[in-house]
Amino acid sequence: GAPLAVIAGINVLEDLDLALTIGSALKESCAALGLPYMFKASFDKANRSSIKSYRGPGLDQGLEQLAAVKEKLGVPVCTDIHEPDQAARVAEIADLIQIPAFLCRQTDLVRAVAEAAEAKDKLIQVKKAQFLAPWDCKNIVSKIGEVTKTERVILCERGASFGYNNLVVDMLGIGEMKKLGTPVTIDATHAVQLPGADPRTAGASTGGRREGVAVIARSAVAAGADGVFLEFHTDPDKALCDGPSCLAIETAKPLLTTLKQLHEITAAAS
Amino acid sequence: GAPLAVIAGINVLEDLDLALTIGSALKESCAALGLPYMFKASFDKANRSSIKSYRGPGLDQGLEQLAAVKEKLGVPVCTDIHEPDQAARVAEIADLIQIPAFLCRQTDLVRAVAEAAEAKDKLIQVKKAQFLAPWDCKNIVSKIGEVTKTERVILCERGASFGYNNLVVDMLGIGEMKKLGTPVTIDATHAVQLPGADPRTAGASTGGRREGVAVIARSAVAAGADGVFLEFHTDPDKALCDGPSCLAIETAKPLLTTLKQLHEITAAAS
Amino acid sequence: GAPLAVIAGINVLEDLDLALTIGSALKESCAALGLPYMFKASFDKANRSSIKSYRGPGLDQGLEQLAAVKEKLGVPVCTDIHEPDQAARVAEIADLIQIPAFLCRQTDLVRAVAEAAEAKDKLIQVKKAQFLAPWDCKNIVSKIGEVTKTERVILCERGASFGYNNLVVDMLGIGEMKKLGTPVTIDATHAVQLPGADPRTAGASTGGRREGVAVIARSAVAAGADGVFLEFHTDPDKALCDGPSCLAIETAKPLLTTLKQLHEITAAAS
Amino acid sequence: GAPLAVIAGINVLEDLDLALTIGSALKESCAALGLPYMFKASFDKANRSSIKSYRGPGLDQGLEQLAAVKEKLGVPVCTDIHEPDQAARVAEIADLIQIPAFLCRQTDLVRAVAEAAEAKDKLIQVKKAQFLAPWDCKNIVSKIGEVTKTERVILCERGASFGYNNLVVDMLGIGEMKKLGTPVTIDATHAVQLPGADPRTAGASTGGRREGVAVIARSAVAAGADGVFLEFHTDPDKALCDGPSCLAIETAKPLLTTLKQLHEITAAAS
């Protein structure tokens, strides 16, 4: 079977040094473990809870940083887009174009991403929305399939709404998503967020549960996930976005080591 | 207290005749009951489950139809937008600009709507997303408040995710939303939808439960909602979008009569 | 149509004076409004969150108090049981024997209640468990139907689990339960409870939201409920059980007046 | 760290041959893997969806079968009780007395089990109810702690209500339960059940998803569960209760082998 895929990096681009520091540490860890690695970072956080929150460097500077990471580290990169007209430009740099969870039902965005991926021979990652059932992803894959081959598609689980201000990852959903014929990754970083309830900022940011990231990652890999999506920082408490669910970069190697072992055992058992 | 507000019309614009037929019937019913009326219709359904679904006439023809309804019937009109760059043009015609539920956290869209509403002195209706708690609307109202006065804002309840392929309306949430200082409407039409599970189209459309629309509308008005949002058609089973949750226009007058009575009793009790 | 049925009283029996005070006030209000009235009180709270919580006077003294209320006020009475061997004794006094929500799937208890109701010609109220769908009540009604006629059965909605430490009342569920052929009541008092989260006692009691009781009652009546289940106290903050969701007895008359009006309008509309 | 504990056997006792066949196969597999093993079977299924369902041999014959398994196989045994007055007799045979999920808030039952466990120096397993949050188990542990030492307590996760007719296992909840100071097991067999929705019997039995049992077991062990609870049969499709979630006994050894490996990696990582 294929080795566990690792899509990991930082939540939102801050400065190039941070991106290179995180990216090179992850590249090294993955290389040592024989795991395929792709760097991830957002250039714009378009749905922050508060209008005052840091959003990122924006499209132009963001793509520059991503191109620099790609060139200097020699790794593929992943980023997410929010408007259809960003797709073509992003596809020039990104190897994996990500559709955000809240936007995964927006037909124009899905179509634009599919067209850009087709034009530049890139991959597409769809974050399953918090309001969708695993099998509801079928419609999204079908939309993409009307534009390009569905072999480009990766589905990503990041939790489902569970009452108010809470998410839950349904481990049985991973198998349901895999039945659609696509690889499935687990975004353990966002899956532990408690929407709308970060006590540090009186409800203005999306809260997290840092200690749960490894738990969700391990569980999902044992449930059959093909890859993991993780966000790190050199100083998580000072991360400019989603710090509460961000892991310290020093924890990457031991976590990935564990996940690789769990993935091998699970693959052998299935 | 204020009378029950009625925002009602059709799901998506089909042809002008339909819009005028529905709009004039609703205008007449509301006039007879002494209820303020606003016509609603979408020009684009940007998040249909399937890429094959009918989406509407688009921005140009849609605004033409809305302008015609506005002029011929002499009623205010409401429509929803999906991209920030639609805001300014829509605000020229629409009296109430609506932000769709899935998009209510997209900062650029919220800001664009707020700016257009400020420029043209229009109202803003925010559909509460299925993944948000009632109190989470505070952040959205705050975002708007950084651009224009929050007196322009109406919050609209349309159900919360409840397990897979189901929504539930939490009647206690209406009071929580009203605590934010805005009027609250109930979108009874979309609240009864069963996401992703319409047996008529093998899961490719969002299913509905037509008989439940009146139940949700009555309950929400008795819970304290300030207005209702309802969609009608001359032939609901042939509606080009969301037929399963669409009401026959003949049922409008008796339903609105009941809702008016419930609203008056509730207002007197509170 | 039948008038709105009122099953109301106190959460748990404290002393006879309290029972008579509450019962006579409710009897009087219902008589003035032309609504059928039944007194409710529990003799044992068998599932308190803490072993230290007040549980009530127990079976012997409890039945004495209920018999006294029944005789002195001339009203029918309702109480709930927790063990099969309590059924026969309770059926001698109670006119309506209630099966608690958590226990509604326990076959021996359901059968014992059905047999006692059959023997003494009494009614049965089944609280729908927080973990059941409305249509799942079918199995419970069927169980009773194997012992006695299902015309004895009343189903009572008191909320469904909605994430952690929260309940939600699905107003569409009331109609689903009515499709089973039984009257449906709304327990607005317990429906507003926040399980496991009363800040006053650091999580050791089941919390409530007193201001929501009237909201849920009004909404459910407007959704088509046939009766209401409500708990009152002369001093809610000093109630020995579930004070946070308990209403002051002075509020009974205005609330019941509103509910009667809503019920009449709803009945006329259906 | 401690090896993974295995509590496994059959759903409900049918005949002694079945119990011995399943028990000896599991004993052998666990011995080969170095995992502690305890046989589990119920003598009464007290909450079947239908009154017509098979319930088991009852207390007398059930305890006889359990005693025979215990003596012939030389393994400890676990069974569940439903009425307080069963506790003392069950504690004479059972090494682990289990409190069913729906009944875990019934104070008299919890107290009776605690007293019997104290008297006979036995263990107690509490199934967390589908309507409880992980942290709500604190009250149950406290109740037991007023009667006997809480070192006797094992908490068992078996899923939480997730909308209608569905359960979800929150893998983050396992850690929350472990914070209460007790070992935590995963009942993967019941966690995959779809309450009230088995198509084979038109909704009269609790449905299951057999293929999901291994997924939930693997995930929960990777999340940190200390033990697994699993049910097997020689012919799952003919099991007299809960066949849809029952595993074939031939699958036990490979599954337990995988779980042991996952547990060791997880223990090393934590």
Side-chain angles (χ1 to χ4, degrees):
Chain A
L4 185 73
V6 178
I7 303 168
I10 49 182
N11 185 289
V12 59
L13 289 164
E14 300 185 7
D15 57 57
L16 182 58
D17 272 358
L18 179 69
L20 291 171
T21 302
I22 297 293
S24 61
L26 290 167
K27 177 192 173 185
E28 197 176 311
S29 294
C30 287
L33 293 164
L35 303 179
Y37 171 63
M38 181 180 286
F39 178 78
K40 180 269 161 183
S42 296
F43 60 81
D44 182 19
K45 305 300 290 183
N47 59 14
R48 299 300 303 272
S49 298
S50 166
I51 210 169
K52 295 171 190 161
S53 307
Y54 175 71
R55 286 183 55 167
L59 183 62
D60 292 337
Q61 291 185 40
L63 289 181
E64 263 178 52
Q65 277 199 38
L66 289 170
V69 168
K70 196 170 168 172
E71 192 204 328
K72 297 196 187 206
L73 301 184
V75 297
V77 301
C78 162
T79 197
D80 51 334
I81 74 167
H82 320 281
E83 304 289 344
D85 61 14
Q86 299 169 329
R89 285 196 57 202
V90 165
E92 286 175 23
I93 305 295
D95 301 280
L96 176 62
I97 313 166
Q98 182 173 289
I99 299 173
F102 291 163
L103 302 180
C104 74
R105 283 277 301 273
Q106 302 307 117
T107 301
D108 289 341
L109 187 68
V110 170
R111 191 199 307 255
V113 169
E115 287 170 353
E118 166 76 14
K120 299 288 181 182
D121 195 20
K122 298 298 176 71
L123 297 172
I124 301 163
Q125 178 159 265
V126 182
K127 292 267 186 98
K128 178 169 71 64
Q130 297 85 335
F131 49 83
L132 285 185
W135 37 86
D136 292 338
C137 293
K138 186 181 175 184
N139 288 327
I140 303 169
V141 176
S142 297
K143 282 183 185 176
I144 294 172
E146 296 187 39
V147 175
T148 186
K149 58 183 178 182
T150 57
E151 284 78 4
R152 296 188 193 283
V153 184
I154 298 166
L155 292 173
C156 180
E157 162 67 18
R158 45 93 76 243
S161 291
F162 182 59
Y164 292 141
N165 301 306
N166 201 185
L167 298 173
V168 69
V169 175
D170 175 7
M171 294 297 164
L172 298 173
I174 290 170
E176 295 293 331
M177 291 159 82
K178 289 178 77 165
K179 284 182 190 165
L180 301 175
T182 69
V184 173
T185 54
I186 176 71
D187 175 355
T189 298
H190 290 88
V192 302
Q193 290 185 345
L194 297 171
D198 182 348
R200 299 188 313 177
T201 52
S205 296
T206 299
R209 288 173 288 184
R210 194 178 295 158
E211 70 281 5
V213 176
V215 175
I216 293 296
R218 293 197 313 256
S219 290
V221 167
D226 303 293
V228 291
F229 179 105
L230 294 163
E231 293 175 355
F232 296 89
H233 201 280
T234 50
D235 188 351
D237 289 331
K238 293 192 179 153
L240 296 181
C241 181
D242 288 351
S245 56
C246 184
L247 297 183
I249 187 62
E250 300 83 46
T251 66
K253 184 129 185 218
L255 175 56
L256 292 171
T257 303
T258 299
L259 296 178
K260 173 193 158 93
Q261 293 173 314
L262 296 173
H263 184 254
E264 286 173 353
I265 291 166
T266 301
S270 304
Chain B
L4 185 73
V6 178
I7 304 168
I10 49 182
N11 185 288
V12 59
L13 289 165
E14 301 185 6
D15 57 56
L16 182 57
D17 272 0
L18 179 69
L20 290 172
T21 302
I22 296 294
S24 61
L26 289 167
K27 177 192 171 184
E28 198 176 309
S29 295
C30 287
L33 293 164
L35 303 179
Y37 171 63
M38 182 180 287
F39 177 79
K40 180 269 160 184
S42 295
F43 60 82
D44 182 19
K45 305 300 288 184
N47 59 15
R48 299 299 302 271
S49 297
S50 166
I51 208 168
K52 295 170 189 161
S53 307
Y54 175 72
R55 287 183 52 168
L59 182 63
D60 292 338
Q61 291 184 41
L63 288 182
E64 266 179 50
Q65 277 199 40
L66 288 170
V69 168
K70 195 170 169 171
E71 192 203 328
K72 296 195 187 208
L73 302 184
V75 297
V77 302
C78 161
T79 197
D80 51 335
I81 74 165
H82 320 281
E83 304 288 345
D85 60 14
Q86 299 170 330
R89 285 198 55 202
V90 165
E92 285 175 22
I93 306 294
D95 302 281
L96 176 62
I97 314 167
Q98 182 174 289
I99 299 173
F102 291 162
L103 302 181
C104 74
R105 284 277 300 272
Q106 303 306 118
T107 300
D108 288 339
L109 187 69
V110 170
R111 190 199 308 253
V113 169
E115 286 169 354
E118 165 76 14
K120 300 287 181 184
D121 195 19
K122 300 298 176 72
L123 297 172
I124 301 164
Q125 178 159 264
V126 181
K127 293 265 187 98
K128 178 170 71 65
Q130 297 86 337
F131 51 82
L132 285 185
W135 39 85
D136 292 338
C137 293
K138 186 181 175 186
N139 287 327
I140 303 169
V141 176
S142 296
K143 282 183 184 176
I144 294 171
E146 294 187 41
V147 175
T148 186
K149 58 183 176 182
T150 57
E151 284 77 5
R152 298 188 191 283
V153 184
I154 298 166
L155 292 173
C156 180
E157 164 66 19
R158 45 92 76 243
S161 291
F162 182 58
Y164 292 140
N165 300 305
N166 203 183
L167 298 174
V168 69
V169 176
D170 176 7
M171 294 297 165
L172 298 174
I174 290 170
E176 294 293 333
M177 290 158 83
K178 290 178 74 164
K179 283 182 193 167
L180 301 176
T182 69
V184 174
T185 55
I186 177 71
D187 175 356
T189 297
H190 290 88
V192 303
Q193 291 186 346
L194 297 172
D198 182 349
R200 297 187 316 175
T201 52
S205 296
T206 298
R209 289 172 287 184
R210 195 178 296 159
E211 70 280 7
V213 176
V215 175
I216 292 295
R218 293 198 312 258
S219 291
V221 168
D226 303 293
V228 290
F229 179 106
L230 294 163
E231 294 175 353
F232 296 90
H233 201 279
T234 51
D235 189 350
D237 290 331
K238 293 191 179 153
L240 295 181
C241 181
D242 288 350
S245 55
C246 184
L247 296 183
I249 186 63
E250 301 82 47
T251 66
K253 184 129 185 218
L255 175 57
L256 292 172
T257 304
T258 299
L259 296 178
K260 174 194 158 94
Q261 294 173 314
L262 296 173
H263 184 253
E264 287 172 353
I265 291 165
T266 302
S270 305
Chain C
L4 185 73
V6 179
I7 303 167
I10 48 182
N11 184 290
V12 59
L13 289 165
E14 299 185 7
D15 58 57
L16 183 57
D17 272 359
L18 178 69
L20 291 171
T21 302
I22 297 293
S24 61
L26 290 167
K27 178 192 172 185
E28 198 176 311
S29 295
C30 288
L33 293 164
L35 302 179
Y37 171 63
M38 181 180 286
F39 178 78
K40 179 269 161 184
S42 296
F43 60 81
D44 182 20
K45 305 301 288 182
N47 60 14
R48 300 299 304 272
S49 297
S50 166
I51 210 168
K52 295 170 190 161
S53 306
Y54 175 71
R55 286 183 53 167
L59 183 62
D60 291 339
Q61 291 184 41
L63 288 182
E64 264 179 51
Q65 277 199 38
L66 288 170
V69 169
K70 196 170 167 170
E71 192 204 326
K72 296 195 188 207
L73 301 183
V75 297
V77 301
C78 161
T79 197
D80 51 334
I81 74 165
H82 320 281
E83 303 289 344
D85 61 14
Q86 298 170 330
R89 286 197 56 202
V90 165
E92 285 175 24
I93 305 295
D95 301 281
L96 176 62
I97 314 166
Q98 182 174 289
I99 298 173
F102 291 161
L103 303 181
C104 74
R105 283 278 300 274
Q106 303 306 117
T107 301
D108 289 340
L109 186 69
V110 170
R111 191 198 307 255
V113 169
E115 286 169 353
E118 166 76 13
K120 300 288 183 184
D121 195 21
K122 299 298 176 74
L123 298 171
I124 301 163
Q125 178 159 264
V126 182
K127 292 266 186 98
K128 178 169 71 66
Q130 297 87 333
F131 51 82
L132 286 184
W135 37 85
D136 292 338
C137 293
K138 187 181 175 185
N139 287 327
I140 303 170
V141 175
S142 296
K143 282 183 185 177
I144 294 172
E146 295 186 41
V147 175
T148 186
K149 58 183 177 183
T150 57
E151 283 78 4
R152 295 188 192 284
V153 183
I154 298 166
L155 291 173
C156 180
E157 163 67 17
R158 45 93 76 241
S161 292
F162 182 59
Y164 292 140
N165 301 306
N166 202 185
L167 297 174
V168 69
V169 176
D170 175 7
M171 293 297 165
L172 298 174
I174 290 170
E176 295 293 331
M177 290 159 82
K178 289 178 76 165
K179 283 182 191 166
L180 300 175
T182 68
V184 173
T185 55
I186 177 72
D187 174 356
T189 297
H190 290 89
V192 303
Q193 291 185 346
L194 297 171
D198 182 350
R200 299 189 313 178
T201 51
S205 296
T206 299
R209 289 174 287 184
R210 196 178 293 159
E211 71 280 7
V213 176
V215 175
I216 293 295
R218 294 197 313 257
S219 290
V221 167
D226 303 293
V228 291
F229 178 105
L230 294 163
E231 294 175 355
F232 296 90
H233 200 281
T234 50
D235 188 350
D237 290 332
K238 293 193 179 153
L240 297 181
C241 181
D242 288 349
S245 56
C246 183
L247 297 183
I249 187 62
E250 301 82 47
T251 67
K253 184 128 186 219
L255 175 57
L256 292 171
T257 303
T258 299
L259 296 178
K260 173 194 158 94
Q261 294 173 313
L262 296 173
H263 184 254
E264 286 172 354
I265 291 165
T266 302
S270 306
Chain D
L4 185 73
V6 178
I7 304 168
I10 49 181
N11 186 288
V12 58
L13 289 165
E14 300 185 7
D15 57 56
L16 183 57
D17 272 0
L18 179 69
L20 291 171
T21 301
I22 297 294
S24 62
L26 289 166
K27 177 192 173 187
E28 197 176 310
S29 295
C30 287
L33 293 163
L35 303 179
Y37 172 62
M38 181 181 287
F39 178 78
K40 180 269 161 184
S42 295
F43 60 81
D44 183 19
K45 304 300 289 184
N47 60 14
R48 298 299 302 271
S49 298
S50 165
I51 209 169
K52 295 170 190 161
S53 306
Y54 175 71
R55 287 184 53 168
L59 184 62
D60 292 338
Q61 291 184 41
L63 289 182
E64 265 179 48
Q65 277 199 39
L66 288 170
V69 168
K70 195 170 169 172
E71 191 204 329
K72 295 196 188 207
L73 301 184
V75 296
V77 301
C78 160
T79 197
D80 50 335
I81 74 166
H82 319 282
E83 304 288 345
D85 60 15
Q86 299 169 330
R89 284 199 56 203
V90 165
E92 286 175 21
I93 306 294
D95 301 281
L96 177 62
I97 313 167
Q98 182 174 287
I99 298 173
F102 291 162
L103 303 181
C104 74
R105 284 277 300 273
Q106 303 306 118
T107 301
D108 289 340
L109 187 69
V110 170
R111 190 198 309 253
V113 169
E115 286 169 354
E118 165 77 12
K120 300 286 182 184
D121 195 19
K122 299 298 176 73
L123 297 171
I124 301 164
Q125 178 160 263
V126 181
K127 292 265 187 99
K128 177 170 71 66
Q130 297 87 334
F131 50 83
L132 285 186
W135 38 86
D136 293 337
C137 294
K138 187 181 175 185
N139 287 328
I140 303 169
V141 176
S142 297
K143 282 183 186 176
I144 294 171
E146 295 187 40
V147 175
T148 186
K149 58 184 177 183
T150 58
E151 283 78 3
R152 297 188 190 282
V153 183
I154 298 167
L155 292 173
C156 180
E157 162 67 18
R158 46 93 75 241
S161 291
F162 182 59
Y164 291 140
N165 301 304
N166 202 184
L167 298 174
V168 69
V169 176
D170 176 7
M171 293 299 164
L172 298 174
I174 290 170
E176 294 294 331
M177 291 159 82
K178 289 178 75 165
K179 283 182 192 166
L180 301 175
T182 69
V184 173
T185 55
I186 177 71
D187 174 355
T189 297
H190 291 88
V192 302
Q193 291 186 344
L194 297 171
D198 181 351
R200 299 188 314 178
T201 52
S205 296
T206 298
R209 288 173 289 184
R210 195 178 296 158
E211 70 281 7
V213 176
V215 175
I216 293 295
R218 293 198 312 258
S219 291
V221 168
D226 303 293
V228 291
F229 178 105
L230 294 163
E231 294 176 354
F232 295 90
H233 200 279
T234 50
D235 188 351
D237 289 332
K238 292 192 179 153
L240 296 181
C241 181
D242 288 350
S245 55
C246 183
L247 296 183
I249 186 62
E250 300 82 47
T251 66
K253 183 126 185 223
L255 176 56
L256 292 172
T257 304
T258 299
L259 297 178
K260 173 194 158 91
Q261 294 173 315
L262 297 173
H263 183 254
E264 287 172 353
I265 291 166
T266 303
S270 305

